[in-house]
Amino acid sequence: MSTTGKPKGATSSSGIPIKPIYTPEDVKGPHQERIGEPGKYPYTRSLHPTPYSQRLWTFRQYSGLAAAEDTNQRYKFLLSQGQTGLSVAMDLPSQIGYDSDDPLAEDEVGRVGVAISSLKDMELIFDGISLADVSTSFTINGTAAATLAMYFAVAEKQGVPLAKVRGTIQNDILKEYVARGTWIFPPEPSLRLIADSIEYCARHAPKFNSISIAGAHFHDAGASTVQELAFTLADGITYVDWTRRRGIPVDEFAPQLSFFFYTHNDFFEEIAKYRAGRRLWAKIMKERFGAKDPRSWMFRAGVVCGGSMLTAQQPHNNIVRVAYQAMASVLGGVQSVFTAAWDEAYTIPSEETAELALRTQQVLAYETGVANVVDPLGGSYYVESLTDAVEREAAKLIEDIDARGGMVPCIEKGYIQSLIARRAYEEQRKIESGEKVIVGVNKFAREETPPEIASYDVPEDAKRRHLERLNRVRKERDQAKAKAALAALERAARGAENTMPYLMDAVKAYCTMGEIYGTLRGVFGTFKEPVMQL
């Protein structure tokens, strides 16, 4: 054992060997070429040449309450307290394409986010919030295309040209098959819908990120930091391939690709992940796809601090964890941050805990000085060496996936799932044996009185208001227009046209989420999860 009590031969959370001291010998070779300058290829140090003090990252707290009116009030509160971007949490029925009055949806309406059954809900969520003045992120995948159509329809109703609409839609179905589960269709039609929305945004909404390729859910499902990065970039390669097959030049859509990660507790490895990710993606886009526009090379990342790292035991420790994770994210040079509230291991956060989570970012941004220098850890022997190692290991894993035919066959055969399951099992064994310390859980634990937390139960009046609105929409809309829009959508889905214009017509005719995805299910079928072998 060392004097710190830690066993010798430490490794990072991904298993990369860590030495007790680093010297110039650890960054031999064309070091300057690898790290470059901030704002220049390969962007190891930063996408931009100026520090955050010139332009802070976006404070984007993930939030959504049961009904549209309640969510609207929460967004107005957070914006009034200094939040600079919105992030919409949708309930499960909305995520998998069922209306809130569907028998399958009954117990889930509004439980984990806002219920969005029609354009009317989206209009209320952004009532009094100009889409010209705020960027909005949607963590939505299976129903991303219709959700995007609804958001654009609201912009049009507000008189905001699509060319000025800013935001991000997650729209990443591949990781849903592996780690999250809100898929609807088999991979091929799902990828078609994603390519449809990427193409539509490139043509009509050039400031809107058409996809946020997400590693976050791999990480929270048990993937290591290196696996999270490799799987995410391999997904990105798949989306670029599918869109290019349409004959669209890569530089026409690649600047609107973005990424989404969880920052976990291994402070320096998480910093190295973002630095290595920028360098790897820049090389992939330039060398593999021949992108020439520097904006196509940029690995723009939003992150979540919290997630599976939050503990129910001694939950106030989560405040500390999230603060460190936020600092690692900022030192890693990300573009937007969501800091989870300490009580999210139990419930949807209260207004008070949500405000504290936002203040965590604001203290970091305005009081600590981390915003004053670009990539302040650049040149650190340890950080540069670790960045090289993360890049090297992630590149190996991407090569392995390529050799197996790419992400789609790897997912269909359960290969990615098996890698994550194996690593999650190993991590759990380390926690149970005490090899991996979780403060307050397997070390420094004590008898404690459960904290007084105001759990969030879906208010009955909110559910009632939402269901009454859904019924009114169905009764008061132009029925012939809605029927024609769904018929046109079905024809487009059976053919090869881009479905986005037809989805825009359908949502503007107040067709409901369940009607739209019921129509598409009739064309595309549904996905059956493969049997996984460890």
Side-chain angles (χ1 to χ4, degrees):
M1 300 290 283
S2 71
T3 55
T4 62
K6 288 185 176 181
K8 291 181 178 178
T11 64
S12 74
S13 68
S14 295
I16 295 170
I18 302 297
K19 301 191 299 183
I21 187 169
Y22 284 76
T23 72
E25 290 297 307
D26 294 295
V27 289
K28 290 187 295 187
H31 179 61
Q32 187 57 38
E33 181 182 324
R34 289 203 303 278
I35 66 171
E37 298 177 30
K40 292 184 179 179
Y41 183 89
Y43 302 106
T44 308
R45 301 199 63 190
S46 172
L47 294 181
H48 306 290
T50 53
Y52 282 125
S53 58
Q54 303 295 309
R55 180 184 176 184
L56 279 172
W57 65 90
T58 302
F59 305 158
R60 196 187 293 283
Q61 299 301 95
Y62 181 57
S63 181
L65 302 178
E69 304 93 327
D70 309 303
T71 299
N72 174 264
Q73 290 305 308
R74 176 62 64 90
Y75 289 172
K76 286 178 176 173
F77 169 75
L78 289 169
L79 290 170
S80 73
Q81 296 303 309
Q83 178 165 305
T84 53
L86 297 175
S87 180
V88 180
M90 294 167 63
D91 73 355
L92 193 56
S94 306
Q95 291 184 44
I96 55 177
Y98 289 101
D99 288 337
S100 296
D101 56 0
D102 190 294
L104 292 173
E106 185 176 356
D107 293 333
E108 291 293 337
V109 175
R111 186 170 295 280
V112 298
V114 61
I116 300 178
S117 295
S118 75
L119 176 59
K120 185 61 72 177
D121 296 317
M122 194 71 86
E123 292 168 358
L124 284 170
I125 290 170
F126 295 99
D127 182 46
I129 300 172
S130 172
L131 301 196
D133 299 329
V134 69
S135 72
T136 304
S137 173
F138 290 88
T139 303
I140 189 69
N141 299 280
T143 58
T147 303
L148 181 65
M150 287 184 191
Y151 190 66
F152 285 170
V154 171
E156 289 182 0
K157 282 177 173 283
Q158 289 188 0
V160 180
L162 292 191
K164 293 185 177 180
V165 175
R166 295 174 295 120
T168 302
I169 194 150
Q170 194 162 92
N171 204 14
D172 173 5
I173 202 65
L174 290 177
K175 61 94 175 56
E176 294 292 324
Y177 298 121
V178 174
R180 192 160 178 269
T182 62
W183 66 71
I184 302 174
F185 312 118
E188 289 226 355
S190 296
L191 287 165
R192 173 195 167 179
L193 290 173
I194 290 168
D196 284 350
S197 51
I198 290 174
E199 180 180 10
Y200 191 84
C201 286
R203 303 274 188 256
H204 302 282
K207 293 184 178 180
F208 197 91
N209 296 325
S210 52
I211 188 169
S212 181
I213 307 157
H217 307 95
F218 294 133
H219 213 1
D220 256 15
S224 71
T225 302
V226 165
Q227 287 175 329
E228 178 197 25
L229 180 61
F231 298 157
T232 307
L233 297 187
D235 278 351
I237 289 168
T238 306
Y239 296 128
V240 172
D241 273 335
W242 268 76
T243 308
R244 288 176 76 229
R245 288 179 194 173
R246 300 184 171 203
I248 305 172
V250 66
D251 284 323
E252 288 191 10
F253 66 88
Q256 291 171 265
L257 308 180
S258 63
F259 296 87
F260 179 70
F261 293 92
Y262 269 124
T263 300
H264 279 192
N265 287 345
D266 191 330
F267 190 81
F268 288 105
E269 189 173 64
E270 291 294 332
I271 294 169
K273 175 179 74 181
Y274 297 121
R275 300 175 90 251
R278 283 194 292 273
R279 192 156 71 204
L280 260 175
W281 187 245
K283 289 179 182 176
I284 289 168
M285 294 306 293
K286 185 175 183 181
E287 297 173 11
R288 180 168 180 154
F289 293 114
K292 294 181 171 54
D293 186 339
R295 296 176 305 153
S296 301
W297 306 334
M298 291 185 174
F299 173 90
R300 295 172 296 116
V303 305
V304 175
C305 304
S308 67
M309 295 293 98
L310 302 179
T311 64
Q313 300 92 331
Q314 299 182 24
H316 288 97
N317 295 348
N318 295 329
I319 298 171
V320 183
R321 292 189 179 98
V322 167
Y324 285 138
Q325 292 162 5
M327 180 169 278
S329 304
V330 169
L331 292 175
V334 304
Q335 279 60 62
S336 73
V337 177
F338 159 46
T339 39
W342 65 266
D343 57 353
E344 288 193 42
Y346 285 94
T347 185
I348 288 177
S350 66
E351 191 169 280
E352 180 185 12
T353 62
E355 181 180 353
L356 178 60
L358 174 61
R359 298 288 183 247
T360 303
Q361 292 200 55
Q362 291 167 331
V363 169
L364 182 61
Y366 295 108
E367 297 185 13
T368 65
V370 296
N372 293 333
V373 177
V374 181
D375 186 31
L377 296 178
S380 155
Y381 305 134
Y382 175 38
V383 171
E384 296 299 350
S385 175
L386 192 55
T387 300
D388 291 347
V390 170
E391 180 190 16
R392 184 169 56 248
E393 295 304 313
K396 284 182 191 174
L397 197 43
I398 293 171
E399 287 177 11
D400 176 47
I401 293 166
D402 280 343
R404 294 171 185 272
M407 277 299 272
V408 172
C410 282
I411 291 169
E412 289 176 334
K413 294 173 183 174
Y415 178 63
I416 303 298
Q417 297 91 317
S418 69
L419 293 180
I420 293 175
R422 188 176 302 125
R423 199 267 177 180
Y425 172 70
E426 291 167 356
E427 282 293 289
Q428 187 60 35
R429 287 189 63 182
K430 289 179 183 176
I431 292 170
E432 292 177 2
S433 70
E435 180 183 351
K436 179 172 182 174
V437 172
I438 308 293
V439 173
V441 176
N442 63 0
K443 195 164 189 174
F444 312 116
R446 54 171 166 69
E447 293 292 327
E448 58 182 321
T449 303
E452 292 185 10
I453 292 175
S455 64
Y456 180 80
D457 296 317
V458 178
E460 280 301 317
D461 72 310
K463 187 174 179 180
R464 177 184 52 75
R465 277 185 274 118
H466 172 72
L467 292 175
E468 287 176 353
R469 180 163 53 249
L470 175 58
N471 284 328
R472 278 199 306 276
V473 164
R474 289 201 190 103
K475 287 179 181 176
E476 295 174 2
R477 68 188 178 187
D478 183 329
Q479 303 298 342
K481 190 175 180 181
K483 186 177 178 181
L486 290 174
L489 174 63
E490 181 179 354
R491 285 194 297 274
R494 292 192 186 282
E497 286 185 86
N498 189 314
T499 55
M500 277 301 298
Y502 298 94
L503 284 164
M504 290 288 292
D505 289 343
V507 301
K508 286 192 275 191
Y510 290 95
C511 297
T512 67
M513 193 71 91
E515 291 169 337
I516 289 170
Y517 282 91
T519 298
L520 294 177
R521 279 188 181 92
V523 178
F524 297 143
T526 55
F527 177 69
K528 185 177 181 181
E529 189 174 19
V531 176
M532 186 177 65
Q533 292 183 338
L534 291 177

